[in-house]
Amino acid sequence: MITVENLQKSYKADRGLRNHTQKHVLTGVSFHLNDGDCLGIVGESGSGKSTLSRILLGLETSDGGTIRIDGVPHKKWIKQNKGKFSVVFQDYRTSVNPNWTLRRIIEEPLCMLRSGKNAHAEHETIIAELMERVELPLDYLKKYPHELSGGQLQRVCIARALTTRPRYLVLDEAISSLDVSVQSQILSLLKELQREFQLTYLFIAHDLQAVAYICNRLAFLRDGVIIEELDCNHFMCAQSEYVKLLVNSILPFQSRFNRTSSHNVNS
C-alpha cells in the first residue's frame, strides 16, 4: 500500500526583481493506494496533478507531508526496490531519444539495472515478450521514433515502463495526446496489462470518461487538495458541487471508451 499524508509543495513565483512570492501547488494532499487498485487523480490544468506524480516518482521533493510504501518511507523504499516504480508520460515524443532505435529505447531501463555475462540474452527475451504484449511486430525494433504513429510510440513507452517488472505504474496524462480512437485502444491494452502483470496504477488525467473507464477509484484534485474520493460505481454519491458538475457532464452520454475497438499497430 502507498499512503500519502498531508503532502505539500510550493514554488517561487517571480513577480519582478524584488518581489518573490510562493505559489502553493499542493496544500495538503492525502490518499492511499492499495495493491491492485487503479486510482484516478482527476483535475484541471494547474491543479497539481503532474507535481504529485513527480514527487511520487522521486523526481521532486515535497515541502511537507509523508509518503510511505508498505510502511517504509517513500525514498527508502524506492532505493531498495529499483525499477518497481515506473511511469508512462504524456508526451511520447519528448520522453524518448529520437536518435535511438526502439530496441535501445525499450532496453534502457534494463541496462541501468541489469548487467552480467548473460544480460544481453535476457534483455532480448524480455524485449521480444513485451513487443508481443503491446502488439507491435519485432521488426519494428530497428525503427526510430519518427517512423511511428503516436499510438505506436506510446505502446513502445508502455513496453519500456514494464521492462523492470514494476509493481506500481504512474500514468501521467498517458493518453491525452492521442486521437480518441487510439485512446480507446491504449486504455484496453492497459487494462489487460494490469491484470497480466498484477500492476497497481495511479492514473493521472483531466478526462473523467477515460479515468472512469479504467479506474476503480477516483480522487478529485482542485487547488492543490483532494476535495473528494469516489468509487467508480458510485458516481451519484458525489457530495462536492464541483464533482457533481463533472459527473453530470458525462452521465447523459455513453462512454466513448466502452465501444469495442480492435488493436491496430497502424494506430
Side-chain angles (χ1 to χ4, degrees):
M1 175 191 285
I2 299 177
T3 304
V4 177
E5 294 183 353
N6 196 31
L7 203 65
Q8 300 167 45
K9 181 66 178 179
S10 299
Y11 298 101
K12 286 184 178 180
D14 290 334
R15 296 183 178 178
L17 294 176
R18 298 183 179 180
N19 189 0
H20 298 281
T21 60
Q22 291 292 113
K23 180 182 179 182
H24 300 285
V25 180
L26 302 178
T27 57
V29 171
S30 299
F31 65 90
H32 69 275
L33 181 59
N34 293 321
D35 281 354
D37 271 357
C38 180
L39 173 64
I41 304 289
V42 183
E44 301 169 342
S45 296
S47 61
K49 302 187 305 297
S50 291
T51 297
L52 174 60
S53 71
R54 289 195 296 269
I55 292 173
L56 287 169
L57 290 164
L59 302 177
E60 290 194 30
T61 57
S62 64
D63 297 331
T66 60
I67 306 173
R68 302 183 75 85
I69 304 178
D70 297 337
V72 178
H74 167 245
K75 290 184 178 179
K76 182 178 180 180
W77 189 93
I78 288 180
K79 187 175 181 179
Q80 293 174 343
N81 297 271
K82 293 185 182 298
K84 297 305 177 183
F85 218 122
S86 195
V87 62
V88 179
F89 292 107
Q90 172 184 359
D91 195 336
Y92 43 84
R93 296 291 178 189
T94 60
S95 64
V96 298
N97 189 325
N99 299 315
W100 285 4
T101 62
L102 302 191
R103 179 189 301 279
R104 189 174 178 188
I105 289 170
I106 296 173
E107 189 181 23
E108 182 183 11
L110 292 172
C111 292
M112 296 175 66
L113 294 180
R114 297 168 180 253
S115 60
K117 185 177 180 180
N118 299 318
H120 179 72
E122 291 177 4
H123 294 183
E124 290 299 304
T125 300
I126 292 170
I127 292 169
E129 289 175 351
L130 287 172
M131 286 292 282
E132 179 180 357
R133 284 305 299 116
V134 300
E135 301 182 354
L136 290 175
L138 277 179
D139 59 7
Y140 273 39
L141 290 172
K142 300 176 182 178
K143 291 180 177 287
Y144 290 85
H146 70 272
E147 299 180 90
L148 274 64
S149 68
Q152 290 171 337
L153 191 52
Q154 194 63 306
R155 289 171 186 264
V156 171
C157 292
I158 292 170
R160 177 181 61 183
L162 296 178
T163 54
T164 59
R165 295 297 191 266
R167 177 174 164 187
Y168 300 106
L169 185 60
V170 175
L171 299 152
D172 189 358
E173 299 278 12
I175 65 165
S176 62
S177 296
L178 302 171
D179 293 338
V180 172
S181 61
V182 181
Q183 288 181 3
S184 180
Q185 295 169 17
I186 296 298
L187 284 173
S188 295
L189 173 64
L190 288 170
K191 289 186 79 168
E192 293 172 8
L193 292 172
Q194 184 184 22
R195 288 192 296 268
E196 181 176 341
F197 289 87
Q198 299 182 323
L199 295 162
T200 300
Y201 285 165
L202 184 69
F203 193 92
I204 294 172
H206 62 272
D207 186 335
L208 185 54
Q209 285 194 59
V211 175
Y213 175 76
I214 193 172
C215 297
N216 60 295
R217 290 172 50 229
L218 298 179
F220 295 85
L221 186 62
R222 191 181 192 192
D223 298 327
V225 65
I226 290 177
I227 59 174
E228 189 165 357
E229 289 191 49
L230 286 174
D231 187 287
C232 282
N233 294 321
H234 298 91
F235 272 146
M236 298 308 295
C237 297
Q239 300 296 312
S240 161
E241 291 301 318
Y242 172 74
V243 175
K244 287 180 182 179
L245 283 173
L246 290 178
V247 171
N248 289 336
S249 71
I250 70 164
L251 284 180
F253 307 99
Q254 181 179 6
S255 173
R256 63 184 182 273
F257 301 113
N258 285 330
R259 295 191 292 272
T260 302
S261 61
S262 60
H263 297 292
N264 188 330
V265 298
N266 293 319
S267 298

